[in-house]
Amino acid sequence: MSLDEVLAANGTKKEDVFAAPRSTAIEMVGKAGAIKIMELYKEGKVDGIISWAGSVGTTTVTYAMRALPFGVPKIMMTDMASSDVSMWLGNKDIYIVNPTAEQGINVVTRKMVANAAAAIVAMAKVGDVSEGSRPLAAITSYGTTTPTVKRCAEFMESRGWDVIIIHQVGAGATMEDLIRSGHIKAIIDLTIGELTNNMYNSPYGTPKTWTGERLTAASEMGIPQIVVPGGLDQSACGPLSSLPKEYLDDFKTGKRKPYKDTQLPYIHNEGVTIMVPTLEEIAQLSLYIAEKLNKTKGPTAFILPMRGWSAYDQSEELASRERGWAKGHGDGPAWEPDEQNPKWSRRATLMAKILKEKFDKNNENLDFIICDMHILYPEFAGLCNKCMGDMLDGKWKKGMYRDFPGVIE
C-alpha cells in the first residue's frame, strides 16, 4: 500500500508531510495509518501486525498498533527495546522484540526475524477464544489494598463471574477501554490510586498516549460500579533520585508527611517511592471524583472508609501483618489522623465534606456511603460485595445501606 493511500484515510497530503518538521511528519503519518488500519480491520483484512524498525519507524507504526483492538496480534521488533518503551506501548497488548539491529538479515538477525514471523502467524491462527466465557468483572488493586481485592474477587467468582485484577500502575487506561468495548460488565473500582500517580506525573500513571479519562467509562456505559478511594493516600513514583527537588523539600518542611524522622518519603522498593498528597491535592481529587461520577447512568456507589485507604494509611493501633503493616513499625507511612476524631483519617474527613456538597443529590443512580471502617476490614469488603450483589440482582437503590453495620451516613 502506498503512502498516498494511507494518508488519504484522513485527508492528509503527501506534500504537507514532506514539508513538515520530522516529528510532526511522523505524527501525521502515524495518525493516518491508525485510521487506515482500522478501516482494513473492519473489512476483515487484518489478522495481525508486525514491524521491524528503529525509533522513527517504531513511533510511526505503533500508532496503528495502538488503534487495533485488544487481542489482535501485534509484534514490534525494535532496536529501541532496551529503552523506555512505554510511549509506544500505551495501554495496548503490543509484544516488543529486540532484534539487536535496526535492519538487515544476517547470521545474527535471521533466527530472530524467523521467530517473530512464526509468532505472528501462530497468534493469528489462535482465533476467537471468548466463546463460552463467563461475564467479566474488573477489580482495581495495589499491593496495599490486596486483602480486600481478594475478598471481592472471591465474591464475584462465587457468583459465576470471571475477574480481571487491574493493577493501578497505568492499566486503568486499559480497563476503561475494555469497559467501552463491552468486555467488562461490572467493576469494583476499589483502588483509584492512579489519580495521584497522574497528579505527580509518575511513570506509573496512565500512558501519555491514552486520550481517555479515569472514572468515565463505567458511568457512560451504565454498568454496575463500586468506587472507593483506595490508594489515594499515596502515589507510586519512581526511585527517590527521580523525585523533583520541590517534592523532596515538602518532606523536609513538613508540608508532606515524612517517614518517621527521615525527612524523606517512604521507600516502597528501590524502584518505587511513596509520595503522600497534601490536603489541597485531596480536595482537587475529590472535585474530580464528583465531576465524573455525577454523570453516571448506571447503579453507582462511592464508598468512603474513614479509617484509612490502604495498608500504608493506618494507625499503629490498627496495624497487623494481615492488613499489610505489621505491628511494631509505628503508624503506616501515609497515616495522618483527623484532629477532631483521631480514629479517622484527615484526608477522609476532608473528602467526606467536599463530596457531601458536590455529589449530585438528584442523580438516583449515585449513592454516597460513609463508613466507620478501614478499607482492609473484612466488613468493608462485605459492604462492597453486598452493594455489588444487589446491583447485579436488580435490587439496588440509593440509600438502602444506612442500617448496614459500620455505615454512618
Side-chain angles (χ1 to χ4, degrees):
M1 182 172 293
S2 69
L3 177 61
D4 287 308
E5 291 175 288
V6 172
L7 295 176
N10 66 349
T12 301
K13 296 180 180 178
K14 185 165 61 176
E15 294 76 15
D16 294 336
V17 173
F18 292 156
R22 189 178 183 87
S23 60
T24 303
I26 292 169
E27 182 179 5
M28 294 166 72
V29 176
K31 287 183 174 180
I35 294 171
K36 187 63 181 180
I37 201 164
M38 282 305 297
E39 290 179 359
L40 296 172
Y41 174 76
K42 290 173 182 176
E43 294 171 1
K45 297 178 179 178
V46 176
D47 296 313
I49 179 171
I50 185 170
S51 182
W52 182 10
S55 63
V56 171
T58 300
T59 302
T60 306
V61 172
T62 51
Y63 272 99
M65 291 184 175
R66 291 193 301 272
L68 287 167
F70 294 98
V72 177
K74 313 167 186 73
I75 295 179
M76 184 68 239
M77 300 175 60
T78 175
D79 62 346
M80 305 296 290
S82 60
S83 66
D84 179 1
V85 299
S86 61
M87 71 187 85
W88 297 310
L89 285 174
N91 68 316
K92 285 300 179 72
D93 52 338
I94 300 172
Y95 290 80
I96 300 289
V97 176
N98 185 1
T100 72
E102 183 179 359
Q103 57 182 298
I105 301 296
N106 52 54
V107 67
V108 174
T109 62
R110 182 175 290 110
K111 180 61 174 174
M112 299 169 193
V113 175
N115 286 345
I120 196 74
V121 171
M123 290 177 187
K125 287 183 176 180
V126 170
D128 185 8
V129 296
S130 62
E131 185 177 350
S133 296
R134 300 185 297 174
L136 180 65
I139 303 176
T140 53
S141 75
Y142 267 166
T144 54
T145 60
T146 293
T148 298
V149 171
K150 291 176 67 176
R151 292 184 180 103
C152 292
E154 289 167 1
F155 170 78
M156 294 302 292
E157 288 167 351
S158 73
R159 291 187 58 106
W161 286 64
D162 278 336
V163 175
I164 181 170
I165 307 298
I166 307 288
H167 195 193
Q168 288 298 277
V169 289
T174 300
M175 180 185 71
E176 298 275 335
D177 287 353
L178 287 172
I179 292 171
R180 284 198 170 84
S181 68
H183 287 86
I184 293 173
K185 306 294 187 181
I187 174 174
I188 302 178
D189 210 346
L190 189 76
T191 313
I192 56 176
E194 275 180 342
L195 297 182
T196 48
N197 293 347
N198 291 341
M199 177 175 279
Y200 301 126
N201 199 30
S202 161
Y204 306 110
T206 51
K208 298 274 191 304
T209 55
W210 185 58
T211 58
E213 291 181 283
R214 278 291 273 116
L215 296 184
T216 59
S219 293
E220 291 172 12
M221 298 296 289
I223 66 171
Q225 66 171 327
I226 309 294
V227 185
V228 178
L232 286 189
D233 56 287
Q234 62 192 268
S235 169
C237 291
L240 182 63
S241 60
S242 70
L243 262 61
K245 182 178 181 299
E246 63 183 283
Y247 290 154
L248 293 175
D249 288 344
D250 287 345
F251 288 97
K252 294 176 182 178
T253 64
K255 182 179 179 180
R256 300 182 194 276
K257 180 179 180 288
Y259 182 54
K260 296 186 175 181
D261 58 356
T262 64
Q263 292 192 315
L264 292 170
Y266 180 72
I267 308 300
H268 182 73
N269 58 49
E270 65 181 18
V272 179
T273 304
I274 301 299
M275 282 283 290
V276 292
T278 64
L279 289 182
E280 291 78 9
E281 290 165 345
I282 289 297
Q284 292 176 41
L285 293 169
S286 299
L287 294 174
Y288 180 91
I289 291 167
E291 177 195 353
K292 301 308 177 188
L293 296 188
N294 278 341
K295 301 173 183 176
T296 187
K297 299 176 182 177
T300 299
F302 186 87
I303 308 179
L304 179 59
M306 297 300 291
R307 295 195 177 209
W309 301 342
S310 80
Y312 286 165
D313 191 27
Q314 60 181 313
S315 65
E316 183 176 17
E317 179 186 359
L318 291 182
S320 70
R321 185 175 64 181
E322 291 73 24
R323 284 198 284 267
W325 189 256
K327 285 190 179 298
H329 295 279
D331 294 337
W335 174 251
E336 296 185 51
D338 181 72
E339 293 179 359
Q340 303 300 317
N341 189 339
K343 291 186 177 182
W344 290 356
S345 155
R346 66 176 187 155
R347 298 187 189 94
T349 301
L350 175 61
M351 181 172 283
K353 178 182 177 181
I354 293 172
L355 293 182
K356 278 195 278 189
E357 177 186 345
K358 296 298 182 181
F359 271 149
D360 183 358
K361 298 176 179 61
N362 295 318
N363 187 344
E364 291 301 315
N365 292 318
L366 176 61
D367 198 7
F368 180 31
I369 303 171
I370 302 174
C371 57
D372 185 19
M373 303 181 197
H374 190 276
I375 193 173
L376 298 183
Y377 281 8
E379 297 82 0
F380 184 78
L383 174 58
C384 292
N385 292 337
K386 171 63 175 169
C387 288
M388 178 54 69
D390 287 339
M391 289 176 179
L392 297 178
D393 291 339
K395 299 177 181 178
W396 181 90
K397 64 179 180 179
K398 183 174 183 174
M400 67 185 295
Y401 304 101
R402 298 310 180 263
D403 294 330
F404 194 94
V407 171
I408 54 179
E409 287 189 48

